[in-house]
Amino acid sequence: MSPSAPRFPVRIAAFAAGLLLATGACADAPTLDWRLPLPAGQSWRIVDLREGNGIRHEEYVPRGQGIEDYRDRLLVQRANAQEMDPEAYLGHIAAGLAKHCPAFTTSGLVSGARDGLAHATRTAYCGRFGERPYGYVVAQKVFRDGDFLFVVEREWRLPPFSIDGAGLAAFGPDDEAVKREIRLAVRWLTEQVLPAAPPPAPPPARARNRR
């Protein structure tokens, strides 16, 4: 797989590219099998898929939204953990994003473990990305499975919004609708985005009885 940046415009995924795409070659572990239930309410289509050297990168946007002018996006990645736990990864992404956002905050950091795998979830708010006419909201969940990190990200690209002194975002006329979307996405991440054990191997075919 090429370590080059995605074909989309500069955005959140670019901050993870150096971490997730510039990893050393390693064999794909046969037990790493994740089946992601896409969130309801949208008809998602895959627009980017790359895999190799232990890395898998998937991007989705809803049908009817373009690759360059999307509002909603899903990102699913698997890559070498490079000794990072889920909280450290989320901190790495937030620090990179904050450098480009005059108004920035995070909320909802939740850490835990399931089936022996550490995980963390957090939402980041970028009121305006540099000089661009939009900001970002990014809800992420990260699992560590052995030497790998699994990252699931729900992203919104929205008109610039404000963040008050208490770290609360205000989205203007669409405030309640956007906040409801974010709440539903965080619920989806916490309740449905879970590691999936590989399917069991089919039982061997019974030998036919011979006379």
Side-chain angles (χ1 to χ4, degrees), residues 12-64:
I12 308 305
F15 299 120
L19 174 68
L20 291 173
L21 301 182
T23 56
C26 54
D28 286 2
T31 58
L32 295 175
D33 178 37
W34 281 54
R35 293 180 294 278
L36 181 69
L38 297 182
Q42 300 270 25
S43 178
W44 298 92
R45 64 187 179 99
I46 191 163
V47 294
D48 194 4
L49 173 60
R50 290 166 280 160
E51 185 169 17
N53 295 332
I55 302 166
R56 183 176 176 88
H57 178 95
E58 305 172 32
E59 294 188 43
Y60 301 81
V61 299
R63 296 189 183 279

Side-chain angles (χ1 to χ4, degrees), residues 99-140:
K99 294 178 181 178
H100 300 265
C101 304
F104 180 81
T105 191
T106 62
S107 68
L109 176 63
V110 177
S111 302
R114 182 184 174 92
D115 298 331
L117 305 181
H119 64 82
T121 307
R122 184 165 65 180
T123 305
Y125 300 81
C126 170
R128 188 184 189 110
F129 186 80
E131 298 300 320
R132 296 171 183 264
Y134 50 76
Y136 286 108
V137 177
V138 184
Q140 293 179 306

Side-chain angles (χ1 to χ4, degrees), residues 62-83:
R63 296 189 183 279
Q65 295 186 25
I67 295 176
E68 302 292 339
D69 59 353
Y70 67 92
R71 175 190 182 271
D72 307 275
R73 188 180 69 103
L74 285 176
L75 169 70
V76 184
Q77 289 180 316
R78 180 189 78 205
N80 193 288
Q82 301 190 62
E83 306 304 322

Side-chain angles (χ1 to χ4, degrees), residues 87-180:
E87 283 194 30
Y89 174 84
L90 290 175
H92 170 85
I93 297 300
L97 181 58
K99 294 178 181 178
H100 300 265
C101 304
F104 180 81
T105 191
T106 62
S107 68
L109 176 63
V110 177
S111 302
R114 182 184 174 92
D115 298 331
L117 305 181
H119 64 82
T121 307
R122 184 165 65 180
T123 305
Y125 300 81
C126 170
R128 188 184 189 110
F129 186 80
E131 298 300 320
R132 296 171 183 264
Y134 50 76
Y136 286 108
V137 177
V138 184
Q140 293 179 306
K141 185 170 187 176
V142 185
F143 274 93
R144 176 151 184 176
D145 186 352
D147 294 331
F148 291 86
L149 287 178
F150 285 84
V151 181
V152 180
E153 174 183 301
R154 174 69 166 92
E155 174 192 312
W156 296 261
R157 190 166 66 178
L158 303 168
F161 55 89
S162 62
I163 299 173
D164 65 19
L168 300 177
F171 300 99
D174 297 327
D175 187 73
E176 287 302 319
V178 172
K179 288 179 178 177
R180 182 176 182 274

